[in-house]
Amino acid sequence: MSNLENHFLIAMPGLKDPFFQRSVTYICEHNDSGAMGLIINQPVDVTVEGLLQQLEIVVPDKSKALQRPVYAGGPLARDRGFVLHSPVDGWRSSMRLSDDMMITTSKDILEAMGQGKAPEHYLLTLGYAGWDPGQLEQELSENSWLTIPADADIIFNTPSPERWKRATAKLGIDVWQLGPDVGHA
């Protein structure tokens, strides 16, 4: 199995897990220790501004940019925030994922958002999705997921209700015509 970092996992239409049904997950890390990713198309009922206020981060000016939703990044550590963003260095806890993507987990990026100094493009999630060693590969062999290289335009510029459909369209097939059975030639 190839490394799936900087790829999307696209839930197959037959995947019935309520947390992952019709999800698109950006894979941040995939190695011998397992995999970690963030679901990018499941908004929760809180805005970035609302979350900043809950964290007692001062938001001096009401900004339209802070009215964007926060997302359920996955079922694990739902009390931790993860910010996928366009490359901007300077945060305490950041990691470059690709030429056009970084992840930051430190509070200083949230404080900057409150001050209107957010990266140009960002998506904030609470929680993450994780797989033990071999688990993701097993799920792929069971036909639970499709994979494609990640696309920053889908993450940052596509409305969340359209991300699954847009990601599946990049496959060049009608995903609804795929069956749930696994076949081997």
Side-chain angles (χ1 to χ4, degrees), residues 28-173:
C28 302
E29 186 173 45
H30 183 215
N31 54 40
D32 291 339
S33 298
M36 179 268 184
L38 301 173
I39 299 172
I40 63 160
N41 66 327
Q42 294 183 358
V44 295
D45 194 23
V46 66
T47 64
V48 171
E49 180 180 2
L51 179 65
L52 296 179
Q53 289 173 345
Q54 288 176 27
L55 296 172
E56 299 179 357
I57 294 175
V58 177
V59 181
D61 297 316
K62 304 293 181 193
S63 166
K64 184 177 179 181
L66 296 179
Q67 298 311 307
R68 64 181 72 184
V70 173
Y71 292 83
L76 305 173
R78 295 171 73 180
D79 59 338
R80 287 192 56 206
F82 299 84
V83 182
L84 276 179
H85 58 90
S86 51
V88 177
D89 292 321
W91 315 114
R92 284 190 294 266
S93 180
S94 293
M95 184 169 71
R96 186 171 293 272
L97 302 171
S98 71
D99 290 341
D100 57 358
M101 192 74 59
M102 291 182 79
I103 186 170
T104 299
T105 58
S106 53
K107 190 175 179 181
D108 57 342
I109 194 169
L110 300 177
E111 292 165 345
M113 286 177 185
Q115 299 298 315
K117 299 174 185 170
E120 180 181 1
H121 300 288
Y122 72 88
L123 182 139
L124 181 95
T125 74
L126 294 175
Y128 70 95
W131 292 265
D132 290 330
Q135 182 182 2
L136 180 55
E137 292 78 5
Q138 180 65 35
E139 291 179 14
L140 286 164
S141 74
E142 293 169 352
N143 210 26
S144 297
W145 305 102
L146 297 167
T147 62
I148 60 169
D151 182 337
D153 188 56
I154 291 175
I155 296 171
F156 299 127
N157 300 319
T158 302
S160 56
E162 297 173 25
R163 290 179 186 157
W164 185 84
K165 184 177 179 181
R166 179 111 182 267
T168 60
K170 289 185 74 82
L171 291 165
I173 58 172

